[in-house]
Amino acid sequence: MKLEIQNITKSFGDKEILHGISFSVTSGRAMGFLGRNGAGKSTTIRCLMDVFRQDSGQFLLDGLPFKPWEMRIGYLPEERGMYQKNEVLSQLVYFAMLRGASRQDAARSAEHWIDYFGLGEFKKKKLETLSKGNQQKIQIAQSFLNEPDILILDEPFSGLDPVNAQVFKDTIADFVRQGKLVIFSSHQMGYVEEVCDDVTLIHEGRIILHGALDQIKRAEGKDKLFLSLADGREDSLVEPLRAAFPGLEITRTVEGLVLDTGGEALAAPLMRWLAGQELTLRHFGLYEPSLTDIFIQKVGEAA
Amino acid sequence: MRDFLTVFRYEFRSQVVKKAAIVTMVVIMAILLIVTSLPRIISLFEGAQDQPQPENGIHQAGYVRAEGEAQRLLETVLGTQARAYDDRAALADALAEGEVEVGFLLNKDLSYEALYQDRSMQDERDSMFAQALTSLLKEKKMGDLGLSAQDYLAIEGSAAIGQTTVLGRNSLDNYFISFFLLLLVYIVVLMYGSSVSSIIAREKDSRTMEILITSTRPSRLIIGKVAAAGLAALIQFGGIILVGVIGFLLNKSTYPPELLMLVSGSLTTTYLLTYAFFTFFGFVLYLFLYAALGSTVSKMEDLASATSLVQFLFIAAYILATFAAQMPGSALSVIGSIVPFTSIMVMPLRSAMSTVPLWQTLLAGALMLLFVAFFAYLSIKIYRWGSLNYGNKTKLRRIVKEALRREH
């Protein structure tokens, strides 16, 4: 399956929030939809889910208009909540049935996901009696009901502790392995980097980056080397390096120095130069930027 | 249809299995059974006293002994079961101690004094005494004038002979029963209307709404909820009415004739159909209004003020109905019975109290159906609007405008 988001615009009152955004998502590859708070992630997802109607543009699935109500979709909204005063199992069965499952299948699916998250003992309890963490697991479980073909998760990691986040990541990875189409928005780069194959970066209602994560990283790291010292005193090297290699662009990061050679074959001369400085290197090699680095750089460029 | 049934079943189950709802219904049914059995219960206690009641109904009576004519009259009116006391003070003591419940003192000039320790609103033994005494005095006077007892009876029996024929409805006939049914509608609408609005407001407050509207169409959600509340009301209040009818039938033989007259009335099939139609669709109309208003609030605590408008509207309908009971043919009553928000109450009441022209009933019915359809549509739109609007309060007019525009 291929979901295409084409030239979507959306305004609230006089303010245009989405300025003709386009990107695509392919099944079997998790797509991280990134952006700062207020960038337009949730608005895009809500338009996709037909919660809002876009002003222009279209959503296509395999070339045909995307109709969410005709698909098996697992959706976790950013503002999530469930019936606090109702029994856990009964409301999950209800949600599954609303999405088209028979009563038996809905019950089977609901019980499966309750057990999967280790909450079997709470299935007959009212939701409000569960701890906040367990309530979050139930909310996530509702998005996995009925074996959805498409998973759309808006900020799924928010509020999850590391253990639950790991369980959740494993589940998403399973869905991806099964060839499902997975989109999730987040501004927690670490999780996205671990789970996603593709990323789309939105900033102020415009897509500023889209593609396969490894290719983006390679492209962003092209012609760059990374240097860090055991004693962490990389700053002392900046001026000597500039003097020795005038074409070298040097950027200081928290971990060390990023050296942009600008396409020149400087690795070998640099190695020789460093050897002559009698330094204790912690790391010297090709630079692979983190998603956080890319995010900060791209958002900075776009601002 | 399938989604509608799913919503309907879930909401219906939530409504009827609530412990509080079950307990309330059982308590109401028990109270109703007791109330309808009250005459029987009272008669059991009265039976336990095992005392024959005097024909004129003046029981548990005492009197102050008198002389001559006065004593004869007292004995005639009060019978042999009445207790005699020497003076007024002794009679007052007997009343205070509960030996007798009512006492009489007849003076020489045949004027009387009735004495009670405490007098209940329904106690009419003093009037009964006055009536019986009056008859005896009249009889005596006739005798003094040389007329026989037969002459007296003939004079007493001389009265205009005739009857009143009401070709349409006699409002007195159905007053009690139609007001009882009106009260029932009042309770049901307020109770279940509030229930529907709080269910929706809670969904919004707990942020369940977005999951729901991305799982199925808002129309199925709203109609499913309204239908569930409607059926729950029908079952719960149907149960109450059934218990009331059973209680009535079981105890009918013990009811005083005045009460039977009040309850029976002359309800026709036309009236019952009118009542059923306007009550059902009016109830549905109000449920949609409550549902729409429930969607406009972000927090549960704002619900009361949001629904106050419809509460006022409904109370106004009730007041108008009470007015219509007094003047069923007035212009205000006619208008009230045609406008859907008030016709829920006014039309059945007018129909019970007077003859409503067919065109008015048909017009009111058609308007009611149109309003139900429009407000169902509007409440779906507002529900959809409400699912995405949190925070600041918005004026109702703007909500309606935005909801109908559907730009979101």
Side-chain angles (χ1 to χ4, degrees):
Chain A
M1 279 191 293
K2 188 179 182 186
L3 179 66
E4 291 170 273
I5 290 97
Q6 293 185 342
N7 297 315
I8 301 298
T9 62
K10 175 68 190 166
S11 299
F12 291 109
D14 298 332
K15 192 175 181 190
E16 191 170 81
I17 304 297
L18 302 177
H19 311 287
I21 63 165
S22 299
F23 60 95
S24 61
V25 194
T26 314
S27 54
R29 293 179 67 81
M31 206 281 283
F33 190 39
L34 316 176
R36 296 177 66 186
N37 292 332
K41 302 186 296 291
S42 294
T43 304
T44 307
I45 286 177
R46 282 173 164 169
C47 286
L48 177 64
M49 288 302 295
D50 197 41
V51 175
F52 296 135
R53 189 150 297 166
Q54 68 273 19
D55 300 331
S56 64
Q58 58 182 349
F59 298 98
L60 297 175
L61 186 71
D62 294 333
L64 296 170
F66 176 66
K67 295 172 183 168
W69 56 91
E70 288 179 358
M71 306 296 303
R72 287 205 301 197
I73 297 178
Y75 175 52
L76 183 69
E78 184 190 15
E79 300 278 3
R80 46 187 174 262
M82 287 167 64
Y83 295 111
Q84 288 292 313
K85 298 200 176 291
N86 291 17
E87 199 182 82
V88 168
L89 178 64
S90 74
Q91 60 181 309
L92 287 183
V93 171
Y94 175 53
F95 292 136
M97 288 179 73
L98 282 181
R99 291 172 208 158
S102 67
R103 178 167 288 280
Q104 290 77 9
D105 289 345
R108 202 176 305 127
S109 181
E111 296 220 26
H112 166 76
W113 286 109
I114 290 172
D115 292 338
Y116 181 89
F117 284 107
L119 300 172
E121 63 186 295
F122 301 112
K123 63 178 78 166
K124 293 284 178 190
K125 302 270 185 199
K126 286 181 180 175
L127 187 66
E128 65 183 359
T129 63
L130 273 63
S131 69
K132 200 177 172 193
N134 284 339
Q135 287 193 28
Q136 283 175 333
K137 286 197 253 182
I138 294 295
Q139 284 154 355
I140 289 169
Q142 75 74 26
S143 63
F144 294 154
L145 293 167
N146 292 1
E147 297 180 22
D149 296 320
I150 297 172
L151 264 181
I152 298 171
L153 312 165
D154 200 354
E155 300 286 357
F157 291 104
S158 81
L160 283 185
D161 66 43
V163 176
N164 286 331
Q166 187 57 49
V167 173
F168 188 52
K169 278 186 287 185
D170 293 344
T171 317
I172 292 178
D174 266 352
F175 273 98
V176 174
R177 268 195 296 276
Q178 290 167 37
K180 313 281 186 180
L181 197 149
V182 178
I183 306 172
F184 71 86
S185 79
S186 185
H187 50 246
Q188 289 164 288
M189 301 301 149
Y191 291 130
V192 176
E193 204 161 2
E194 284 179 59
V195 177
C196 290
D197 305 295
D198 300 321
V199 292
T200 298
L201 182 52
I202 184 168
H203 181 67
E204 293 179 350
R206 290 188 172 83
I207 303 298
I208 56 171
L209 185 70
H210 173 62
L213 182 57
D214 53 356
Q215 286 176 11
I216 288 170
K217 280 189 172 185
R218 262 201 306 277
E220 292 300 316
K222 193 179 174 224
D223 299 331
K224 289 175 186 165
L225 299 165
F226 181 75
L227 168 67
S228 69
L229 300 179
D231 60 7
R233 297 178 60 196
E234 293 86 359
D235 288 339
S236 61
L237 284 177
V238 174
E239 286 310 315
L241 274 168
R242 282 196 176 131
F245 303 95
L248 196 66
E249 253 186 57
I250 303 168
T251 310
R252 181 74 168 103
T253 70
V254 178
E255 289 86 12
L257 300 177
V258 176
L259 310 172
D260 189 345
T261 62
E264 290 181 45
L266 290 179
L270 263 169
M271 281 282 279
R272 281 196 295 277
W273 184 87
L274 289 169
Q277 304 301 309
E278 295 183 356
L279 301 166
T280 311
L281 295 178
R282 190 173 62 184
H283 183 92
F284 181 67
L286 295 173
Y287 172 61
E288 187 179 83
S290 70
L291 192 54
T292 306
D293 296 333
I294 295 169
F295 182 88
I296 292 170
Q297 187 196 334
K298 291 292 174 186
V299 169
E301 283 171 10
Chain B
M1 188 63 184
R2 190 186 165 282
D3 283 359
F4 160 75
L5 287 175
T6 304
V7 175
F8 172 76
R9 280 197 209 105
Y10 189 76
E11 296 293 345
F12 180 70
R13 211 176 117 73
S14 304
Q15 290 256 355
V16 294
V17 299
K18 271 186 214 157
K19 262 187 197 164
I22 294 171
V23 170
T24 308
M25 296 318 290
V26 170
V27 169
I28 292 174
M29 285 174 177
I31 290 172
L32 197 59
L33 206 57
I34 292 169
V35 168
T36 50
S37 307
L38 266 183
R40 186 181 292 277
I41 295 167
I42 291 167
S43 72
L44 284 176
F45 284 105
E46 283 173 349
Q49 291 172 356
D50 203 23
Q51 284 179 356
Q53 297 295 316
E55 269 180 35
N56 60 14
I58 309 173
H59 56 279
Q60 293 287 302
Y63 65 92
V64 177
R65 282 191 194 90
E67 288 173 1
E69 181 65 10
Q71 178 66 19
R72 191 187 66 77
L73 287 169
L74 279 168
E75 284 172 0
T76 311
V77 172
L78 298 173
T80 52
Q81 287 159 27
R83 295 185 181 196
Y85 296 91
D86 291 334
D87 52 33
R88 191 178 182 282
L91 178 61
D93 288 345
L95 284 165
E97 285 165 20
E99 276 179 34
V100 290
E101 291 174 2
V102 60
F104 298 97
L105 193 151
L106 196 58
N107 300 311
K108 279 181 184 166
D109 61 354
L110 301 183
S111 64
Y112 77 94
E113 182 187 7
L115 289 101
Y116 284 96
Q117 181 65 34
D118 297 303
R119 185 177 184 276
S120 72
M121 283 170 68
Q122 287 78 28
D123 199 312
E124 292 179 344
R125 281 175 284 187
D126 49 351
S127 317
M128 290 171 179
F129 179 85
Q131 216 173 348
L133 186 61
T134 305
S135 292
L136 289 175
L137 291 175
K138 279 183 183 173
E139 213 174 303
K140 183 177 171 296
K141 188 66 93 183
M142 297 283 180
D144 293 347
L145 294 170
L147 295 170
S148 67
Q150 283 74 23
D151 295 332
Y152 168 67
L153 287 173
I155 293 166
E156 278 287 288
S158 300
I161 298 168
Q163 63 176 30
T164 304
T165 305
V166 180
L167 296 172
R169 300 262 193 286
N170 186 347
S171 60
L172 283 174
D173 285 349
N174 301 324
Y175 190 82
F176 178 81
I177 194 82
S178 54
F179 251 94
F180 172 75
L181 292 174
L182 193 72
L183 196 66
L184 213 60
V185 175
Y186 185 80
I187 295 169
V188 169
V189 170
L190 287 185
M191 201 169 144
Y192 285 87
S194 305
S195 171
V196 166
S197 62
S198 64
I199 285 170
I200 291 173
R202 199 170 290 122
E203 269 174 11
K204 202 173 163 189
D205 191 27
S206 67
R207 314 272 165 162
T208 317
M209 228 175 186
E210 195 166 336
I211 293 177
L212 290 170
I213 62 163
T214 52
S215 300
T216 187
R217 300 289 180 87
S219 56
R220 288 157 199 178
L221 290 165
I222 282 282
I223 295 172
K225 285 172 204 297
V226 166
L231 186 66
L234 202 68
I235 289 175
Q236 289 171 345
F237 277 83
I240 288 178
I241 291 173
L242 190 67
V243 167
V245 170
I246 290 171
F248 173 75
L249 293 175
L250 286 177
N251 299 293
K252 197 176 171 185
S253 58
T254 62
Y255 286 8
E258 303 83 24
L259 187 62
L260 282 175
M261 261 179 65
L262 277 177
V263 174
S264 61
S266 59
L267 298 181
T268 60
T269 312
T270 314
Y271 166 74
L272 290 174
L273 285 175
T274 307
Y275 178 81
F277 178 88
F278 283 93
T279 300
F280 177 75
F281 285 105
F283 177 48
V284 171
L285 174 66
Y286 272 97
L287 287 185
F288 279 124
L289 281 178
Y290 272 104
L293 292 171
S295 322
T296 63
V297 299
S298 303
K299 291 175 184 170
M300 284 302 288
E301 53 263 38
D302 296 333
L303 186 62
S305 62
T307 54
S308 58
L309 179 72
V310 68
Q311 310 259 33
F312 283 132
L313 190 63
F314 191 62
I315 291 167
Y318 184 77
I319 293 168
L320 192 60
T322 55
F323 171 77
Q326 307 299 322
M327 300 176 74
S330 70
L332 195 60
S333 301
V334 172
I335 293 167
S337 66
I338 291 173
V339 175
F341 297 117
T342 49
S343 66
I344 176 178
M345 289 192 166
V346 182
M347 182 54 93
L349 206 74
R350 264 192 78 206
S351 179
M353 302 282 180
S354 64
T355 304
V356 181
L358 184 63
W359 71 267
Q360 288 181 8
T361 311
L362 292 177
L363 176 64
L367 276 177
M368 177 64 91
L369 291 177
L370 272 176
F371 268 59
V372 168
F374 174 73
F375 279 93
Y377 172 78
L378 185 64
S379 74
I380 291 162
K381 291 286 180 186
I382 292 179
Y383 180 76
R384 184 67 194 258
W385 174 93
S387 66
L388 305 164
N389 285 275
Y390 286 88
N392 295 338
K393 281 185 184 174
T394 313
K395 283 185 177 169
L396 193 59
R397 190 196 293 179
R398 196 173 152 203
I399 291 173
V400 172
K401 210 170 150 188
E402 288 184 6
L404 290 175
R405 198 166 59 212
R406 176 70 169 102
E407 70 162 16
H408 38 270

